[in-house]
Amino acid sequence: MHNQYSKRSGRWRRVLQAAAALLAGVALWAPAAAAPASERDTVRQVAEPIGEKACIGCHGQENLHFTETLHAKAFRANPRNSRERMVCEACHGPGSLHAKDTGNKALITGFTKSWGTPLEQQNESCLGCHKGGNRLHWPGSTHAGNQVGCADCHNPMQKVSGNSLLARSTINDTCASCHQQQRAEFNKRSHMPLPEGKVSCVDCHNPHGSTTRPLLKADSTNTVCYACHAEKRGPMLWEHAPVRESCTNCHSPHGSNHDKLLVASRPQLCQQCHSPSVGHPGQFFRANQSAGAGQLVGGATSQRMVGRSCQNCHTQIHGSNHPAGARFQR
C-alpha cells in the first residue's frame, strides 16, 4: 500500500515539474514590456578615470606646485590603495566628462568658492581619507555649522606652510584670516605669547571639532589653562569661587590692556563681586582715597589704590592651602 501511494506521488511530482518548465518556456519567449519613453531617451553618463598624464596635459602650472606637496609624494611614490593611485582624480573625481566639456563645472569636483561644488561634496572628498582622530567631532562643530570647508584652511595643491598644507604660512595666520577680533586682542599690551611664537591657536583649540562650542582641546576652559598653569589647579583648602568656576571670569584668554590679561583693572575687577561692606569698605574711589593728587588719607597715598591694589593683602587670590588662608592672604 505504501509503495502504491509513493508511485502516485512521484508521478504527480513529475507532472507538476513538466508544467512548471512549460510555463517558464512561455515566459522566456514572451516579448518584454516596453520601457517608458522617458527612460529610453535618458542616457546616464558616468565619468571614467583618464589618468594623471591627461590632467597634467592641461594643468601643467598646477602640477608644478602640487609636486612639492606631501599628497603628491605619497600618492605617486607609495599609494596605499587604488584611490591614491589615481592621484589627481583621487580628490577631483573621474575626469573623462570634464576633459570633453571643460566649461561645465558640474562634471568635476572643485575646491574653490567660485567653482560651485557643494561644500558637503568637497569635505567628503577630504574626509574619505582624513576621518577619525582629531576630526572625530567635525560633524556638528562650530566650523562645520558655519559652512567652513577644508579648503578654506588647507591648500592641498601647494606647499604654502611648513606642515598640514595650510592656506597660510602658519596656523596663527590661517586662523586670523577669519578671527580678526582675536587677532587684535593678541596685539594688546598684555597678551598670550602667540605673536612671539611660544604658543599657537591649536595649543588650546581643535579647529576640527571638539565637545565644546569654542572648540577647546579639553572639556572645560580651566582644564585647558591648567595644561600650562598647573600651580593653579589645586585642590586648595580654601578655594576662590570665580576661579573654580572659570578662569575667564577674571582673565581674557587672548589679550587685554590690563595687567595679567585681566578683564578689568584692580580694584574694579574685585568690586564686581565684593561690594562695600561694614568694616572693610570696597568703594575706594573717594575724595580722601586716591592714588594721585587730591586729599590723601593721613597725608599719604592710599595703599588700596597702588601696586596690586586688593592683592597687596590678598595675594593668594587663586586659592590657599594655609590653615589661616580663608581670606587668601599671605
Side-chain angles (χ1 to χ4, degrees):
M1 191 71 175
H2 177 72
N3 293 337
Q4 183 179 357
Y5 281 111
S6 299
K7 292 180 180 179
R8 288 181 181 179
S9 60
R11 192 178 300 114
W12 279 108
R13 189 181 298 111
R14 288 192 294 271
V15 171
L16 291 175
Q17 291 175 352
L22 178 63
L23 292 175
V26 173
L28 291 173
W29 286 102
S38 59
E39 294 183 8
R40 293 198 309 268
D41 298 338
T42 301
V43 179
R44 183 181 180 184
Q45 295 182 340
V46 179
E48 297 179 354
I50 57 177
E52 179 188 6
K53 292 183 179 179
C55 301
I56 297 175
C58 294
H59 301 282
Q61 184 64 33
E62 287 80 0
N63 179 58
L64 293 177
H65 296 298
F66 177 67
T67 302
E68 302 174 352
T69 67
L70 182 62
H71 276 162
K73 295 176 181 179
F75 289 4
R76 291 170 176 172
N78 188 26
R80 296 175 298 178
N81 49 51
S82 58
R83 178 178 178 179
E84 292 186 357
R85 293 188 188 94
M86 297 170 66
V87 191
C88 307
E89 294 170 298
C91 301
H92 293 279
S96 60
L97 298 180
H98 169 67
K100 296 177 182 178
D101 185 5
T102 57
N104 189 347
K105 295 183 177 181
L107 300 179
I108 200 76
T109 300
F111 294 90
T112 61
K113 296 293 186 183
S114 59
W115 191 264
T117 300
L119 184 64
E120 294 76 10
Q121 182 178 340
Q122 295 183 37
N123 290 350
E124 184 59 32
S125 180
C126 301
L127 293 174
C129 295
H130 302 281
K131 188 177 294 184
N134 64 355
R135 290 163 293 277
L136 184 64
H137 296 287
W138 173 260
S141 67
T142 301
H143 279 162
N146 284 281
Q147 298 297 300
V148 176
C150 303
D152 291 328
C153 301
H154 299 276
N155 183 1
M157 292 297 298
Q158 186 175 1
K159 189 178 180 181
V160 179
S161 62
N163 53 23
S164 301
L165 292 177
L166 298 171
R168 303 288 188 275
S169 58
T170 64
I171 293 173
N172 299 337
D173 289 340
T174 302
C175 298
S177 62
C178 292
H179 300 281
Q180 297 294 328
Q181 177 181 344
Q182 285 71 25
R183 182 174 188 171
E185 290 175 351
F186 283 122
N187 289 326
K188 294 181 178 180
R189 77 173 189 90
S190 177
H191 58 258
M192 291 289 287
L194 184 139
E196 292 78 11
K198 295 182 179 180
V199 297
S200 68
C201 301
V202 296
D203 289 331
C204 300
H205 300 276
N206 180 2
H208 298 105
S210 76
T211 56
T212 64
R213 188 175 181 276
L215 301 178
L216 297 176
K217 296 185 73 172
D219 293 334
S220 67
T221 301
N222 284 16
T223 305
V224 174
C225 298
Y226 293 153
C228 295
H229 304 280
E231 73 281 3
K232 306 297 190 298
R233 181 189 299 272
M236 302 290 185
L237 180 63
W238 305 101
E239 293 181 339
H240 195 187
V243 176
R244 183 69 171 175
E245 182 183 40
S246 176
C247 300
T248 55
N249 286 334
C250 299
H251 299 278
S252 176
H254 301 110
S256 170
N257 284 328
H258 304 293
D259 190 35
K260 305 295 183 182
L261 285 82
L262 295 175
V263 297
S265 62
R266 294 165 290 191
Q268 288 89 344
L269 175 62
C270 303
Q271 290 176 331
Q272 292 177 4
C273 296
H274 300 281
S275 60
S277 59
V278 178
H280 189 217
Q283 183 61 41
F284 301 142
F285 284 109
R286 295 184 296 181
N288 62 346
Q289 286 186 334
S290 65
Q295 298 180 8
L296 304 179
V297 179
T301 303
S302 172
Q303 65 175 356
R304 296 179 178 177
M305 293 300 300
V306 297
R308 299 201 305 165
S309 185
C310 302
Q311 285 186 272
N312 289 337
C313 298
H314 305 280
T315 56
Q316 305 300 318
I317 203 62
H318 293 97
S320 174
N321 281 321
H322 195 280
R327 292 183 175 86
F328 310 115
Q329 294 173 324
R330 290 185 179 89

